[in-house]
Amino acid sequence: MVAERKKAAGGSRHYEFVEHTADIAIKAYGKTVEEAYAVAGDAMFDIMTDGSKIRPDKEIAVEVESVDREGLLVGFLSKLILLWEVDGWVLTDFEVTLLSENRLTARGFGEKYDKEKHASGHHIKGVSYHMMEIADPAGETPAYVQVLFDV
Amino acid sequence: MPWTGPLKKIDSFRFEIPASYESKVMQQHGVRMTVPGVIYADDRMVKAIKLDDSPEQVANVATLPGIVGKSIAMPDIHHGYGFAIGGVAAFDASSGVISPGGVGYDINCGVRLLRTDLSVSDIKPRIGKLIDAMFHNIPCGVGSEGRVRLSDREIKYVLENGARWAVENGYGWPEDLVMTEEQGCIEGGDAAAVSDAAMKRGSNQLGTLGAGNHFLEIQQVDEIYDRGVAAAFGITEPDQITIMIHTGSRGCGHQICTDYLEMMRRANKKYGIPLIDRELSCAPAGSPEGQQYFTAMKCGANFAWSNRQMITHWVRESFSSVLNKSAGEMGMFQIYDIAHNIAKLEEHLVEGKKRWLYVHRKGATRAFGPGHRDIPEKYRGVGQPVLIPGDMGTASYLLVGTEKAMNETFGSSCHGAGRSLSRHAAIKKYPTNKVLSDMQAKGIYLQAQSRKVISEEAPGAYKDIDEVVDISDRSGIARKVVRFKPLGVVKG
């Protein structure tokens, strides 16, 4: 699977799949929880297409508000589905900033989807709260987010 | 996680989670089940059901305010988000709640069945051409765009008028609407309740099949169990050809669900409803938030009916172009179209009293018994057609709703098989070429947008649909009428 690429690359910024019967769940790691959010964004485009084939030509910014950090994660990833479905953006190399528990800004880099160039993966319908975990430990332990995509 | 809680056998086809059951999460939040949970299954199937903790989800739903009767699960129950898939729950119209989690992301994911006067001998030599024509004419797969791009004004009209929009614009016949649940449009949808984002996701996806488990299938009548009812539905011959369309509201409905989950989480706090699972977020049925979601959900459902209507038109066109006959000459009439994921305001008899209820069906089918006013007049004497799709190599079914369903399950039955293997496990177990050669051996012609989806959707990755349907039939909540076997499939 395409996503194994980033897992194999190791380092703090990587993700792995979590077993689930009907849908696709991932655990995304980063040095900080913000980096973990960003990796979840990268993972999403790896699942929908092939992230390694995305040329980071243009910068796209998003802003999200919610009731809590879980809502911010769902809101951020849901915005990425929207960018892909409505405007045809495929994005990678996300950077995320949590301005507070209720507000997030992010930017990603990419180009318009090209059927010939980018692979066709799974259609992600939505981002669920099911199995959601956000771990933000201090010190050496990496932060991670676990999220399940409805496909 | 396997379920270890109580599951008491009531009779051969029903198992109960008593209302006295209290999980740790319920204790933490200080909530209790107010009604029992009931799962339709037999001894064999209940073992499989206990392998995941979907019964826990049935119990959780029983803690929500205003739930009436029982928290019900169909034999195809499996783990969902918040509510289990295969779940049915009814809430009192004044004291109950409405929850997007009780409907799911794909609002009005559903099935439509067309009958024809064609027989296997007419089709067999041309099955490849027919499937290829449908594959060409009906956009499918990840990121596919519709053949029609709607203006803002048009998308609003679709959201409020459903399949009527499609028929008014030349996609199908007026009688299709008569043979569709809610006649293809739930009244009361108001596009003002739908976000710009949802409308944008919808405007370029109307008339698309999508991906995953959605499909188009040319089928052959394999067995007729009840000749009288089958004839009422337009099925008379073994070997008769039918076409099944399985898809939903696409990005439009998915976005409505996403938008309202966020709103409901705020509403939950506002109305002080303890939230034991974020995906169970809900609002009082009569609150502005509850009503706004219900209005938006109607729009999502209407989008899905319009979507299936347009696909129906292109299916007819595909058949006409390959067989050089008009759809009318081939008798390509619609048997019915039903929703699998929806919430409805319905009147039911509860302990002898008529009550208005918000019935949530998530991965369950409405299965109204004979005589109900919401059934097309032509079928009113026999009951509502209940369409149960299989998956690629497996059988699909046509059942009929019963009086028993009205008494026990708010007029509901099962909706399909449900996965038993994860996508990852299916890819490992069923290499694409093996699935293709197995299907070829069975004489099934397949066109799919991606090779991976062929492995993921391998028939072996799903529960046995025959068992699921048998439990519905033998427990009496729907009766088997016809079984179909696939001849050709289009997968997104």
Side-chain angles (χ1 to χ4, degrees):
Chain A
M1 230 177 188
V2 178
E4 307 288 344
R5 176 177 58 87
K6 295 207 173 176
K7 187 184 170 188
S12 59
R13 197 180 162 116
H14 71 283
Y15 67 90
E16 61 198 27
F17 286 99
V18 177
E19 193 67 11
H20 187 270
T21 309
D23 292 313
I24 297 175
I26 56 140
K27 205 166 180 178
Y29 297 88
K31 274 198 287 293
T32 61
V33 76
E34 289 163 318
E35 202 173 85
Y37 274 47
V39 174
D42 292 343
M44 202 166 172
F45 279 99
D46 257 352
I47 293 165
M48 295 193 289
T49 169
D50 177 352
S52 70
K53 292 182 183 155
I54 300 170
R55 214 170 50 196
D57 277 354
K58 195 172 179 320
E59 181 183 326
I60 301 286
V62 297
E63 198 173 328
V64 183
E65 288 185 18
S66 185
V67 287
D68 53 25
R69 289 205 301 183
E70 285 78 8
L72 287 179
L73 182 56
V74 168
F76 163 55
L77 297 172
S78 299
K79 281 244 163 111
L80 303 187
I81 299 180
L82 198 63
L83 283 165
W84 144 255
E85 271 192 20
V86 174
D87 302 313
W89 286 109
V90 283
L91 301 167
T92 185
D93 299 335
F94 285 97
E95 291 167 21
V96 170
T97 310
L98 285 164
L99 298 171
S100 70
E101 289 284 306
N102 308 107
R103 201 155 157 244
L104 166 157
T105 57
R107 56 182 193 154
F109 302 85
E111 58 183 329
K112 289 287 179 122
Y113 177 68
D114 175 351
K115 215 172 168 180
E116 303 303 317
K117 180 183 164 188
H118 303 111
S120 175
H122 286 94
H123 178 236
I124 296 180
K125 294 186 210 171
V127 183
S128 96
Y129 287 96
H130 188 68
M131 289 166 60
M132 182 168 282
E133 286 177 34
I134 298 177
D136 187 8
E140 291 300 300
T141 325
Y144 71 83
V145 298
Q146 179 170 286
V147 59
L148 191 150
F149 301 114
D150 187 46
V151 295
Chain B
M1 227 166 36
W3 161 261
T4 50
L7 210 44
K8 209 174 74 190
K9 190 169 177 174
I10 306 174
D11 53 35
S12 304
F13 304 106
R14 288 186 303 168
F15 291 79
E16 186 189 71
I17 306 165
S20 57
Y21 171 67
E22 201 178 4
S23 69
K24 272 191 191 143
V25 181
M26 289 178 202
Q27 280 169 3
Q28 276 166 14
H29 288 86
V31 295
R32 298 197 63 104
M33 292 171 72
T34 55
V35 298
V38 168
I39 298 174
Y40 282 77
D42 60 12
D43 288 327
R44 195 177 139 186
M45 189 165 279
V46 84
K47 284 184 192 141
I49 288 170
K50 281 181 181 175
L51 291 178
D52 72 26
D53 62 348
S54 46
E56 181 85 25
Q57 298 187 315
V58 176
N60 286 343
V61 169
T63 69
L64 293 176
I67 186 162
V68 172
K70 294 174 170 75
S71 171
I72 299 163
M74 294 299 156
D76 48 342
I77 178 183
H78 55 283
H79 205 111
Y81 314 133
F83 288 64
I85 296 164
V88 176
F91 298 89
D92 185 84
S94 51
S95 64
V97 293
I98 296 183
S99 173
V103 174
Y105 283 91
D106 194 355
I107 296 166
N108 192 1
C109 174
V111 193
R112 181 174 287 219
L113 183 67
L114 310 179
R115 49 89 64 207
T116 72
D117 290 331
L118 303 164
S119 71
V120 178
S121 56
D122 300 318
I123 292 299
K124 261 275 152 92
R126 298 180 188 87
I127 191 76
K129 275 194 173 163
L130 283 166
I131 291 291
D132 292 350
M134 296 203 307
F135 190 66
H136 176 76
N137 287 335
I138 297 149
C140 62
V142 178
S144 56
E145 291 197 356
R147 291 165 58 179
V148 181
R149 191 172 279 264
L150 301 175
S151 68
D152 287 357
R153 198 172 51 83
E154 282 172 314
I155 182 86
K156 285 178 182 167
Y157 191 82
V158 169
L159 294 172
E160 293 171 4
N161 294 276
R164 277 207 297 263
W165 175 85
V167 171
E168 284 167 9
N169 284 275
Y171 302 99
W173 307 335
E175 53 265 47
D176 296 340
L177 300 178
V178 179
M179 295 307 178
T180 302
E181 184 172 330
E182 298 290 339
Q183 305 194 29
C185 172
I186 307 195
E187 298 300 333
D190 179 352
V194 178
S195 69
D196 284 348
M199 283 196 250
K200 277 186 185 156
R201 281 179 77 177
S203 66
N204 62 356
Q205 289 185 356
L206 194 65
T208 63
L209 185 67
N213 63 347
H214 292 158
F215 66 76
L216 297 170
E217 196 168 275
I218 300 177
Q219 308 168 331
Q220 145 189 9
V221 170
D222 187 32
E223 195 165 351
I224 301 177
Y225 304 96
D226 185 327
R227 295 207 151 266
V229 178
F233 293 156
I235 303 274
T236 49
E237 308 297 326
D239 295 352
Q240 195 174 334
I241 297 297
T242 55
I243 301 119
M244 193 171 255
I245 299 162
H246 179 204
T247 185
S249 50
R250 313 285 287 108
C252 180
H254 309 158
Q255 187 66 38
I256 291 171
C257 180
T258 297
D259 292 340
Y260 279 91
L261 269 176
E262 175 70 19
M263 185 206 241
M264 288 292 178
R265 293 188 64 210
R266 292 168 199 269
N268 246 106
K269 269 193 189 153
K270 179 176 161 188
Y271 296 105
I273 303 169
L275 189 55
I276 60 172
D277 177 340
R278 288 188 195 97
E279 295 278 345
L280 280 182
S281 62
C282 56
S287 68
E289 291 89 346
Q291 283 306 305
Q292 205 185 327
Y293 167 69
F294 193 52
T295 304
M297 186 224 66
K298 289 175 179 176
C299 291
N302 291 343
F303 183 94
W305 275 312
S306 195
N307 193 30
R308 289 196 286 274
Q309 184 62 50
M310 290 171 81
I311 292 174
T312 300
H313 176 68
W314 290 321
V315 165
R316 285 179 179 141
E317 272 192 353
S318 304
F319 269 69
S320 289
S321 68
V322 173
L323 299 170
N324 288 318
K325 275 185 185 170
S326 74
E329 283 174 285
M330 291 181 278
M332 296 181 76
F333 298 108
Q334 181 166 316
I335 293 180
Y336 206 51
D337 175 308
I338 44 120
H340 283 163
N341 287 357
I342 205 159
K344 293 275 197 71
L345 181 60
E346 294 172 1
E347 194 176 37
H348 286 275
L349 211 57
V350 183
E351 289 163 0
K353 272 191 193 160
K354 277 186 180 176
R355 283 172 77 175
W356 284 98
L357 308 169
Y358 284 98
V359 182
H360 293 60
R361 297 188 182 92
K362 183 189 193 180
T365 308
R366 195 185 75 173
F368 281 174
H372 200 286
R373 61 176 182 260
D374 290 344
I375 301 174
E377 213 176 321
K378 197 178 154 200
Y379 302 152
R380 211 165 283 163
V382 292
Q384 181 210 304
V386 176
L387 314 175
I388 318 272
D391 192 83
M392 287 194 335
T394 59
S396 294
Y397 284 86
L398 170 60
L399 290 82
V400 66
T402 63
E403 197 50 44
K404 194 161 185 203
M406 301 312 293
N407 297 333
E408 284 187 15
T409 59
F410 305 104
S412 315
S413 178
C414 64
H415 90 303
R419 291 193 79 89
S420 60
L421 278 187
S422 73
R423 286 163 209 275
H424 199 62
I427 289 171
K428 269 199 211 158
K429 195 168 174 187
Y430 300 106
T432 306
N433 289 338
K434 174 86 171 64
V435 180
L436 281 170
S437 61
D438 283 356
M439 290 188 62
Q440 212 170 13
K442 285 191 207 165
I444 305 168
Y445 181 88
L446 175 70
Q447 265 287 14
Q449 197 57 254
S450 91
R451 281 177 65 81
K452 202 163 63 179
V453 89
I454 296 173
S455 291
E456 288 180 345
E457 297 291 321
Y462 282 79
K463 284 186 196 169
D464 186 340
I465 187 138
D466 300 316
E467 277 185 42
V468 168
V469 168
D470 265 355
I471 290 169
S472 290
D473 178 77
R474 287 188 290 149
S475 67
I477 54 172
R479 277 192 303 107
K480 285 201 282 195
V481 180
V482 183
R483 186 175 68 198
F484 309 97
K485 67 178 183 189
L487 294 175
V489 187
V490 175
K491 270 279 182 188

